[in-house]
Amino acid sequence: MALQRKLLLNGCAGIPKLRWLSNEGLRHFSGQVAAPTELPPFDYQPKPYKGPLGDAVWEKRRKFLGPSLFHFYEKPLNIVEGKMQYLYDENGKRYLDAFAGIVTVSCGHCHPEVLDAIIEQSKLLQHATTIYLHHAIADFAEALASKMPGNLKVVYFVNSGTEANELAMLMARLYSGHLNMIALRNAYHGGSSNTIGLTALNTWKYPIPQGEIHHVMNPNPYRGAFGSDAKRYAEDVQDHIDHGTSGKVAGFIAETIQGVGGTVELAPGYLKLVYDIVRKAGGVCIADEVQTGFGRTGSHYWGFQTQGVTPDIVTMAKGIGNGLPLGAVVTTPEIASVMAQKIQFNTYGGNPVCSAGGHAVLKVIEKEQRQKHCAEVGSHLFGRLRDLEKRYDIIGDVRGRGLMVGIELVTDRKEKTPAKAETGVLFEKLKDLGVLVGKGGIHGNVFRIKPPMCFSKDDADFLVDALDYSLSKL
């Protein structure tokens, strides 16, 4: 922290007041990197804010909310309004939101078509539960099932990704008749007492029993012991089943691109090998699509499709609701049938308002061709970030797909030593320039760039220019 403060004091003075330049040839001025101090044009005027200021909100939050809550930035931002890919603070300052409410805002903040669906349904009926019929939940389930491959046609609605993964694990154990679950090291699957067991990052785990859960080697092409050799990582799964279980398992769960763990895409071909191993051991295969789903990767609608597999159970949340408390589990009729032996019920899951909003999200993603957009803008963004990688040794790896991007910062490319203090300094500088990104990885040295899917090429250029300038001042 002391090093981070020193770097901040040395590096923040004298940001030139130059306008944002769209001409790539003008991005460097007099041999020095120029600061892009004006965001791309955006035709929207935020409403004057008349509510409590940040200091008062911060005091109230510290007094009445749990001490486990964390915040970004040395002085927390008081964000009071959002529109599409932008956020506004109490002073009306506009920020480029490159983290989308932790990869949750898919269509854009306050997207008019999603808002209209939510408001119109709220006027008619907000809540009734599934003890009565209502078309919204059935229409939404039908639309969601139409996006799934194979026989993944039965939908359960919940309120979050944690709930979705809890339910998926329950299904796997009931259907298989076994208890042992396998997850990856560096994974994040939730923060409840059960999903903490699946999660494999010590920063998110309390010292409680995690049940019959085993964590195998993470097939991380950048930091993993076997690089991109999917076969050797898969052999570790088989070895773990042979020596760490009865030989039978309930299931295997994985994110295709690990989000909280630092935007780590699994080694190519890994899931196909592991799914075969797990199914032979009597288990089912679960794809956690909480962050990778709904076209964000650009190349595919679902992250698991990048590995050429079809799971037995798929979990999703975040982008499914564009900010609504909404999650879902989709599985096959055969697996779903095991849940009928008892009552399985979720009071708020699939309520009319969330169903109407979620259905509108699916329509907007299709109407606005957001998957294609993620592919195109993501390609442009990766191209510019690769150029930065060539110029700055602190950038150890640029990875991901579409608009799910990770930039890992290191002090030594050979040793891959995490640049923790430098990441913190750059994080603050980007915010001062009007760019909000996320951080991830167990060392907090990975920038997570996962904006709303309406993020444009001009936004990408501004982000990279801001990063370029900030790196030049380290």
Side-chain angles (χ1 to χ4, degrees):
M1 184 61 75
L3 174 59
Q4 182 173 323
R5 285 200 195 96
K6 183 177 180 182
L7 289 168
L8 271 169
L9 289 170
N10 290 341
C12 285
I15 295 177
K17 296 197 176 296
L18 298 174
R19 292 176 61 82
W20 173 76
L21 303 172
S22 59
N23 185 335
E24 185 144 353
L26 296 178
R27 286 198 180 102
H28 297 83
F29 181 72
S30 299
Q32 295 184 347
V33 180
T37 59
E38 187 172 310
L39 285 160
F42 186 61
D43 187 19
Y44 181 76
Q45 186 65 37
K47 297 176 178 62
Y49 178 65
K50 300 177 182 178
L53 298 181
D55 289 343
V57 175
W58 175 232
E59 285 304 312
K60 189 175 291 189
R61 170 167 150 160
R62 288 201 300 177
K63 184 176 181 180
F64 295 107
L65 296 178
S68 61
L69 294 178
F70 66 94
H71 61 82
F72 278 177
Y73 309 114
E74 291 192 351
K75 181 176 175 57
L77 288 177
N78 188 25
I79 297 297
V80 300
E81 191 171 347
K83 188 66 176 176
M84 301 308 285
Q85 67 269 44
Y86 298 108
L87 293 170
Y88 299 85
D89 70 10
E90 61 188 27
N91 300 312
K93 179 178 177 179
R94 178 162 59 109
Y95 295 88
L96 176 59
D97 181 10
F99 200 30
I102 313 184
V103 208
T104 298
V105 178
S106 49
C107 302
H109 292 282
C110 298
H111 191 288
E113 292 181 31
V114 178
L115 271 185
D116 286 348
I118 293 168
I119 292 168
E120 290 306 309
Q121 182 56 55
S122 297
K123 291 177 181 177
L124 296 172
L125 180 68
Q126 288 183 298
H127 183 70
T129 82
T130 51
I131 61 173
Y132 307 113
L133 297 179
H134 193 277
H135 72 90
I137 187 172
D139 292 344
F140 184 27
E142 179 183 40
L144 188 57
S146 73
K147 301 293 185 183
M148 308 303 299
N151 203 29
L152 292 164
K153 299 301 178 189
V154 182
V155 182
Y156 292 81
F157 288 114
V158 293
N159 306 291
S160 69
T162 291
E163 282 192 32
N165 286 329
E166 283 261 11
L167 181 55
M169 183 160 52
L170 175 61
M171 286 179 175
R173 286 172 164 166
L174 289 174
Y175 179 74
S176 68
H178 308 301
L179 291 177
N180 287 275
M181 290 291 301
I182 297 175
L184 296 177
R185 296 170 195 171
N186 199 54
Y188 181 85
H189 296 292
S192 66
S193 57
N194 280 325
T195 56
I196 276 178
L198 296 173
T199 294
L201 291 157
N202 70 64
T203 45
W204 300 90
K205 291 172 75 74
Y206 290 98
I208 61 172
Q210 67 177 22
E212 299 291 331
I213 295 172
H214 309 267
H215 295 100
V216 295
M217 292 181 69
N218 188 34
N220 181 343
Y222 180 64
R223 287 190 175 272
F226 305 134
S228 295
D229 192 340
K231 185 173 182 291
R232 294 188 70 183
Y233 292 114
E235 287 170 353
D236 177 63
V237 177
Q238 184 65 65
D239 187 73
H240 208 90
I241 292 172
D242 291 342
H243 298 94
T245 76
S246 66
K248 295 292 183 180
V249 298
F252 168 85
I253 185 169
E255 309 154 271
T256 315
I257 301 177
Q258 294 174 328
V260 175
T263 319
V264 177
E265 185 168 11
L266 309 185
Y270 175 76
L271 286 186
K272 188 170 285 189
L273 295 171
V274 172
Y275 276 22
D276 184 53
I277 291 168
V278 169
R279 285 166 175 158
K280 285 178 180 176
V284 300
C285 300
I286 305 167
D288 181 334
E289 292 286 331
V290 170
Q291 294 193 28
T292 49
F294 303 98
R296 177 168 288 279
T297 64
S299 59
H300 297 81
Y301 199 84
W302 302 110
F304 62 78
Q305 292 171 321
T306 67
Q307 292 261 336
V309 296
T310 299
D312 304 300
I313 304 172
V314 181
T315 62
M316 58 197 76
K318 291 186 179 284
I320 192 176
N322 200 52
L324 288 167
L326 180 60
V329 179
V330 185
T331 190
T332 65
E334 185 180 10
I335 293 175
S337 67
V338 302
M339 300 302 296
Q341 60 188 283
K342 299 287 183 180
I343 295 174
Q344 196 284 323
F345 178 77
N346 190 302
T347 301
Y348 299 106
N351 71 78
V353 174
C354 285
S355 291
H359 196 178
V361 166
L362 296 184
K363 292 175 181 177
V364 167
I365 290 172
E366 184 171 349
K367 175 184 175 182
E368 298 182 356
Q369 297 183 299
R370 286 302 167 202
Q371 182 183 328
K372 179 182 177 183
H373 181 82
C374 286
E376 292 173 351
V377 177
S379 177
H380 177 76
L381 176 59
F382 270 101
R384 293 218 52 209
L385 289 174
R386 299 282 186 211
D387 289 340
L388 282 193
E389 186 179 20
K390 294 173 185 175
R391 292 172 41 221
Y392 295 102
D393 287 343
I394 193 173
I395 299 178
D397 194 31
V398 175
R399 56 182 180 250
R401 284 176 182 253
L403 289 181
M404 190 164 185
V405 182
I407 306 170
E408 181 153 357
L409 303 180
V410 296
T411 57
D412 184 309
R413 280 190 172 180
K414 183 179 179 181
E415 299 297 326
K416 301 177 182 177
T417 308
K420 293 185 282 187
E422 293 84 353
T423 303
V425 171
L426 292 168
F427 195 59
E428 293 283 344
K429 286 185 177 181
L430 287 172
K431 178 261 295 179
D432 292 341
L433 290 168
V435 178
L436 308 181
V437 298
K439 287 195 297 182
I442 197 164
H443 302 293
N445 67 313
V446 182
F447 282 141
R448 299 169 65 192
I449 300 172
K450 300 161 185 184
M453 295 194 291
C454 51
F455 184 85
S456 70
K457 288 183 180 180
D458 285 346
D459 295 321
D461 283 335
F462 184 87
L463 185 153
V464 177
D465 290 346
L467 181 58
D468 189 3
Y469 175 80
S470 299
L471 286 166
S472 76
K473 295 301 178 183
L474 273 180

